[in-house]
Amino acid sequence: MGSGNTDITLIYFLGTVAMILLAGGLFFFFVFYQKRLLQKQLELNKVRQDQQEEILRNTIQAQENERKRIAQDLHDEVGAMLSVVKLNVGRIDRQSEDKTLVLASETKTYLDDVITQVRRISRALLPPSLEKLGLYPALEELASWVNKSDQLFIEIRKSGEPFRFDIKKELAVFRVVQEVMNNAIKHADASQLSLILRFGDGTLAVLVRDNGKGFDLKEKMGAGLGLRNLESRMEMAGGKFRLKSKIGFGTSALLYLSALRDKSRDSA
């Protein structure tokens, strides 16, 4: 009888142990499965993010290539044709009298304005000073063109010793600053804008601040892709973009870029 009870107890004990082991095995299998599932999901999200970044990168590159083509066409073909027309009008001006002389003079003035606008558009699409001289001279030139238009007064200054980043990084910063300026002109009703560049030890901080009407940042971020595209452009250049705005208090944009100096440019 005692032996039978012992066997039953042993069976219960072994059964309990087996159930505990089975439950533990199921638990660890479930945890492992969930971990694998989460890892796969993270990998899938990473692939999707990489694909989106690649699409955006290709889109930006296509836009820059198209801007370059249009800028070259404006400068080389349209600009040259307008210059020839201006020379011909000048010949008419010298040979004409009375009303024809007045008309030729007005036409020549109009052509001067058109040529100036073509040059402005060409430089905005692809500023030659950016590749030749660097970011700060290119932004100085951009500010000068905007100031001539009387749409906005831009004050630009720098601190530290300017140095060159990779041209793609400089172009990214230039495009973002250019877009912030356009927003200040088109949407902010700003009359003044300050542009400050601080060059550090392999770093660059750009502060763009206007005195416009400001806006609700959360509402704007949720309404469209414009501001997010500015963030994405800076992120792809290895930098950061932060925007602050409050209704009635203007808008401030901060761009930050940190990278090793391009030694080939520095030594050139």
Side-chain angles (χ1 to χ4, degrees):
M1 186 71 177
S3 176
N5 290 334
T6 301
D7 292 340
I8 292 173
T9 302
L10 181 61
I11 291 172
Y12 274 119
F13 174 75
L14 293 175
T16 302
V17 171
M19 291 296 292
I20 292 173
L21 290 175
L22 180 60
L26 289 173
F27 174 76
F28 283 112
F29 174 77
F30 178 76
V31 171
F32 177 76
Y33 177 76
Q34 287 293 324
K35 186 177 180 181
R36 287 290 302 274
L37 190 64
L38 179 60
Q39 184 178 355
K40 289 293 183 183
Q41 187 64 42
L42 291 174
E43 291 175 356
L44 182 60
N45 291 341
K46 181 67 167 57
V47 171
R48 289 174 178 171
Q49 183 180 354
D50 290 343
Q51 289 176 341
Q52 291 175 348
E53 289 181 357
E54 184 65 23
I55 292 172
L56 182 59
R57 187 179 294 106
N58 291 337
T59 301
I60 291 174
Q61 186 60 49
Q63 289 175 342
E64 292 301 338
N65 291 340
E66 186 65 11
R67 283 185 175 124
K68 183 177 181 180
R69 184 189 64 80
I70 295 173
Q72 289 176 340
D73 289 346
L74 283 172
H75 181 271
D76 297 340
E77 298 181 21
V78 179
M81 291 170 64
L82 288 172
S83 296
V84 171
V85 173
K86 180 181 176 181
L87 288 174
N88 289 336
V89 170
R91 292 171 59 189
I92 296 174
D93 191 5
R94 290 190 295 272
Q95 298 175 8
S96 301
E97 297 179 359
D98 303 331
K99 293 183 179 180
T100 308
L101 182 63
V102 174
L103 180 61
S105 178
E106 290 179 351
T107 304
K108 188 176 179 181
T109 301
Y110 177 73
L111 280 172
D112 283 336
D113 292 339
V114 172
I115 291 172
T116 300
Q117 289 300 318
V118 168
R119 287 175 178 170
R120 181 186 64 80
I121 295 170
S122 176
R123 288 176 180 274
L125 288 170
L126 186 67
S129 56
L130 180 64
E131 187 171 1
K132 294 178 181 178
L133 302 176
L135 181 62
Y136 185 74
L139 289 175
E140 274 190 316
E141 184 179 44
L142 176 62
S144 176
W145 279 103
V146 174
N147 287 338
K148 288 178 182 177
S149 69
D150 293 329
Q151 294 177 298
L152 181 72
F153 175 74
I154 299 177
E155 178 189 11
I156 178 171
R157 61 182 187 271
K158 62 178 174 63
S159 64
E161 187 65 29
F163 59 89
R164 299 298 303 269
F165 284 95
D166 177 82
I167 184 62
K168 291 183 179 180
K169 295 179 183 293
E170 292 182 337
L171 182 59
V173 174
F174 182 88
R175 292 298 184 208
V176 171
V177 172
Q178 189 179 38
E179 184 61 26
V180 172
M181 286 184 181
N182 288 337
N183 289 339
I185 294 172
K186 295 179 181 178
H187 307 298
D189 294 333
S191 60
Q192 294 181 346
L193 182 144
S194 64
L195 177 58
I196 305 170
L197 286 78
R198 294 190 177 96
F199 292 90
D201 186 13
T203 63
L204 169 66
V206 182
L207 177 63
V208 189
R209 182 187 293 126
D210 68 48
N211 67 342
K213 59 187 179 182
F215 57 88
D216 187 313
L217 187 57
K218 291 183 179 179
E219 181 181 335
K220 284 291 183 180
M221 291 297 288
L225 296 175
L227 297 179
R228 296 194 183 279
N229 284 343
L230 297 182
E231 287 183 349
S232 298
R233 186 184 278 268
M234 283 302 299
E235 286 175 0
M236 286 192 298
K240 296 179 181 179
F241 175 80
R242 296 291 181 266
L243 195 67
K244 290 183 179 180
S245 187
K246 187 177 181 181
I247 296 176
F249 292 91
T251 301
S252 298
L254 178 63
L255 293 72
Y256 181 79
L257 197 61
S258 177
L260 294 176
R261 298 186 183 189
D262 190 333
K263 295 181 180 179
S264 62
R265 289 186 183 275
D266 287 343
S267 60

mmCIF file of all heavy atoms in Angstrom, residues 27-42:
data_model
loop_
_atom_site.group_PDB
_atom_site.id
_atom_site.type_symbol
_atom_site.label_atom_id
_atom_site.label_comp_id
_atom_site.label_asym_id
_atom_site.label_seq_id
_atom_site.Cartn_x
_atom_site.Cartn_y
_atom_site.Cartn_z
ATOM 1 N N PHE A 27 6.381 29.337 -22.748
ATOM 2 C CA PHE A 27 6.604 30.743 -22.428
ATOM 3 C C PHE A 27 7.837 31.279 -23.146
ATOM 4 O O PHE A 27 7.794 32.339 -23.787
ATOM 5 C CB PHE A 27 6.755 30.913 -20.914
ATOM 6 C CG PHE A 27 7.140 32.306 -20.503
ATOM 7 C CD1 PHE A 27 6.202 33.335 -20.496
ATOM 8 C CD2 PHE A 27 8.453 32.597 -20.129
ATOM 9 C CE1 PHE A 27 6.567 34.624 -20.133
ATOM 10 C CE2 PHE A 27 8.808 33.884 -19.771
ATOM 11 C CZ PHE A 27 7.874 34.893 -19.759
ATOM 12 N N PHE A 28 8.947 30.522 -23.055
ATOM 13 C CA PHE A 28 10.175 30.971 -23.703
ATOM 14 C C PHE A 28 10.043 30.963 -25.218
ATOM 15 O O PHE A 28 10.589 31.821 -25.915
ATOM 16 C CB PHE A 28 11.359 30.110 -23.265
ATOM 17 C CG PHE A 28 11.862 30.440 -21.889
ATOM 18 C CD1 PHE A 28 11.706 29.538 -20.839
ATOM 19 C CD2 PHE A 28 12.475 31.655 -21.623
ATOM 20 C CE1 PHE A 28 12.154 29.837 -19.568
ATOM 21 C CE2 PHE A 28 12.935 31.962 -20.346
ATOM 22 C CZ PHE A 28 12.768 31.056 -19.314
ATOM 23 N N PHE A 29 9.288 29.993 -25.758
ATOM 24 C CA PHE A 29 9.040 29.953 -27.195
ATOM 25 C C PHE A 29 8.251 31.185 -27.627
ATOM 26 O O PHE A 29 8.551 31.816 -28.653
ATOM 27 C CB PHE A 29 8.269 28.685 -27.568
ATOM 28 C CG PHE A 29 7.866 28.648 -29.020
ATOM 29 C CD1 PHE A 29 8.782 28.333 -30.010
ATOM 30 C CD2 PHE A 29 6.556 28.954 -29.392
ATOM 31 C CE1 PHE A 29 8.396 28.317 -31.347
ATOM 32 C CE2 PHE A 29 6.171 28.934 -30.713
ATOM 33 C CZ PHE A 29 7.090 28.612 -31.692
ATOM 34 N N PHE A 30 7.235 31.533 -26.823
ATOM 35 C CA PHE A 30 6.410 32.707 -27.131
ATOM 36 C C PHE A 30 7.250 33.976 -27.087
ATOM 37 O O PHE A 30 7.148 34.835 -27.978
ATOM 38 C CB PHE A 30 5.255 32.797 -26.128
ATOM 39 C CG PHE A 30 4.384 33.997 -26.326
ATOM 40 C CD1 PHE A 30 3.456 34.038 -27.361
ATOM 41 C CD2 PHE A 30 4.497 35.100 -25.496
ATOM 42 C CE1 PHE A 30 2.660 35.150 -27.553
ATOM 43 C CE2 PHE A 30 3.709 36.221 -25.687
ATOM 44 C CZ PHE A 30 2.780 36.246 -26.714
ATOM 45 N N VAL A 31 8.103 34.106 -26.039
ATOM 46 C CA VAL A 31 8.968 35.284 -25.919
ATOM 47 C C VAL A 31 9.938 35.358 -27.088
ATOM 48 O O VAL A 31 10.137 36.414 -27.695
ATOM 49 C CB VAL A 31 9.732 35.265 -24.577
ATOM 50 C CG1 VAL A 31 10.801 36.364 -24.544
ATOM 51 C CG2 VAL A 31 8.775 35.417 -23.406
ATOM 52 N N PHE A 32 10.541 34.206 -27.420
ATOM 53 C CA PHE A 32 11.487 34.145 -28.535
ATOM 54 C C PHE A 32 10.795 34.496 -29.846
ATOM 55 O O PHE A 32 11.320 35.245 -30.666
ATOM 56 C CB PHE A 32 12.113 32.752 -28.605
ATOM 57 C CG PHE A 32 13.045 32.569 -29.770
ATOM 58 C CD1 PHE A 32 14.323 33.118 -29.749
ATOM 59 C CD2 PHE A 32 12.637 31.855 -30.889
ATOM 60 C CE1 PHE A 32 15.181 32.949 -30.825
ATOM 61 C CE2 PHE A 32 13.484 31.696 -31.966
ATOM 62 C CZ PHE A 32 14.765 32.236 -31.940
ATOM 63 N N TYR A 33 9.586 33.952 -30.023
ATOM 64 C CA TYR A 33 8.820 34.211 -31.248
ATOM 65 C C TYR A 33 8.472 35.692 -31.363
ATOM 66 O O TYR A 33 8.603 36.294 -32.430
ATOM 67 C CB TYR A 33 7.550 33.363 -31.248
ATOM 68 C CG TYR A 33 6.651 33.624 -32.439
ATOM 69 C CD1 TYR A 33 6.966 33.111 -33.693
ATOM 70 C CD2 TYR A 33 5.498 34.385 -32.296
ATOM 71 C CE1 TYR A 33 6.144 33.365 -34.780
ATOM 72 C CE2 TYR A 33 4.671 34.644 -33.376
ATOM 73 C CZ TYR A 33 4.999 34.123 -34.619
ATOM 74 O OH TYR A 33 4.191 34.374 -35.693
ATOM 75 N N GLN A 34 8.033 36.289 -30.251
ATOM 76 C CA GLN A 34 7.702 37.703 -30.250
ATOM 77 C C GLN A 34 8.933 38.552 -30.543
ATOM 78 O O GLN A 34 8.859 39.561 -31.257
ATOM 79 C CB GLN A 34 7.103 38.096 -28.886
ATOM 80 C CG GLN A 34 5.689 37.582 -28.650
ATOM 81 C CD GLN A 34 4.687 38.228 -29.588
ATOM 82 O OE1 GLN A 34 4.799 39.401 -29.911
ATOM 83 N NE2 GLN A 34 3.717 37.456 -30.043
ATOM 84 N N LYS A 35 10.080 38.127 -29.972
ATOM 85 C CA LYS A 35 11.317 38.854 -30.212
ATOM 86 C C LYS A 35 11.711 38.791 -31.680
ATOM 87 O O LYS A 35 12.115 39.792 -32.281
ATOM 88 C CB LYS A 35 12.425 38.279 -29.326
ATOM 89 C CG LYS A 35 13.733 39.072 -29.393
ATOM 90 C CD LYS A 35 14.756 38.500 -28.431
ATOM 91 C CE LYS A 35 16.067 39.282 -28.496
ATOM 92 N NZ LYS A 35 17.078 38.715 -27.577
ATOM 93 N N ARG A 36 11.603 37.574 -32.254
ATOM 94 C CA ARG A 36 11.909 37.414 -33.674
ATOM 95 C C ARG A 36 10.952 38.226 -34.541
ATOM 96 O O ARG A 36 11.343 38.848 -35.529
ATOM 97 C CB ARG A 36 11.836 35.939 -34.064
ATOM 98 C CG ARG A 36 12.997 35.086 -33.562
ATOM 99 C CD ARG A 36 14.301 35.451 -34.303
ATOM 100 N NE ARG A 36 14.184 35.297 -35.725
ATOM 101 C CZ ARG A 36 14.387 34.150 -36.366
ATOM 102 N NH1 ARG A 36 14.719 33.058 -35.685
ATOM 103 N NH2 ARG A 36 14.269 34.088 -37.671
ATOM 104 N N LEU A 37 9.674 38.211 -34.153
ATOM 105 C CA LEU A 37 8.662 38.956 -34.899
ATOM 106 C C LEU A 37 8.941 40.463 -34.850
ATOM 107 O O LEU A 37 8.854 41.160 -35.862
ATOM 108 C CB LEU A 37 7.273 38.656 -34.319
ATOM 109 C CG LEU A 37 6.071 39.171 -35.119
ATOM 110 C CD1 LEU A 37 6.016 38.488 -36.480
ATOM 111 C CD2 LEU A 37 4.777 38.911 -34.355
ATOM 112 N N LEU A 38 9.310 40.953 -33.646
ATOM 113 C CA LEU A 38 9.641 42.368 -33.492
ATOM 114 C C LEU A 38 10.874 42.732 -34.296
ATOM 115 O O LEU A 38 10.936 43.789 -34.929
ATOM 116 C CB LEU A 38 9.862 42.680 -32.010
ATOM 117 C CG LEU A 38 10.235 44.127 -31.667
ATOM 118 C CD1 LEU A 38 9.144 45.093 -32.112
ATOM 119 C CD2 LEU A 38 10.491 44.272 -30.171
ATOM 120 N N GLN A 39 11.863 41.822 -34.283
ATOM 121 C CA GLN A 39 13.084 42.063 -35.030
ATOM 122 C C GLN A 39 12.796 42.130 -36.534
ATOM 123 O O GLN A 39 13.319 43.000 -37.238
ATOM 124 C CB GLN A 39 14.099 40.948 -34.740
ATOM 125 C CG GLN A 39 15.450 41.176 -35.415
ATOM 126 C CD GLN A 39 16.443 40.062 -35.067
ATOM 127 O OE1 GLN A 39 16.148 39.189 -34.269
ATOM 128 N NE2 GLN A 39 17.604 40.115 -35.664
ATOM 129 N N LYS A 40 11.948 41.219 -37.010
ATOM 130 C CA LYS A 40 11.576 41.227 -38.427
ATOM 131 C C LYS A 40 10.834 42.514 -38.789
ATOM 132 O O LYS A 40 11.031 43.090 -39.862
ATOM 133 C CB LYS A 40 10.701 40.008 -38.746
ATOM 134 C CG LYS A 40 11.447 38.687 -38.735
ATOM 135 C CD LYS A 40 12.452 38.618 -39.873
ATOM 136 C CE LYS A 40 13.150 37.269 -39.911
ATOM 137 N NZ LYS A 40 14.189 37.226 -40.980
ATOM 138 N N GLN A 41 9.956 42.957 -37.872
ATOM 139 C CA GLN A 41 9.199 44.182 -38.110
ATOM 140 C C GLN A 41 10.128 45.384 -38.170
ATOM 141 O O GLN A 41 9.971 46.276 -39.016
ATOM 142 C CB GLN A 41 8.151 44.371 -37.004
ATOM 143 C CG GLN A 41 7.196 45.533 -37.241
ATOM 144 C CD GLN A 41 6.339 45.334 -38.473
ATOM 145 O OE1 GLN A 41 5.845 44.238 -38.710
ATOM 146 N NE2 GLN A 41 6.172 46.391 -39.258
ATOM 147 N N LEU A 42 11.120 45.416 -37.256
ATOM 148 C CA LEU A 42 12.090 46.500 -37.265
ATOM 149 C C LEU A 42 12.915 46.494 -38.547
ATOM 150 O O LEU A 42 13.200 47.552 -39.127
ATOM 151 C CB LEU A 42 13.012 46.399 -36.037
ATOM 152 C CG LEU A 42 12.370 46.686 -34.681
ATOM 153 C CD1 LEU A 42 13.367 46.401 -33.558
ATOM 154 C CD2 LEU A 42 11.884 48.133 -34.602
#
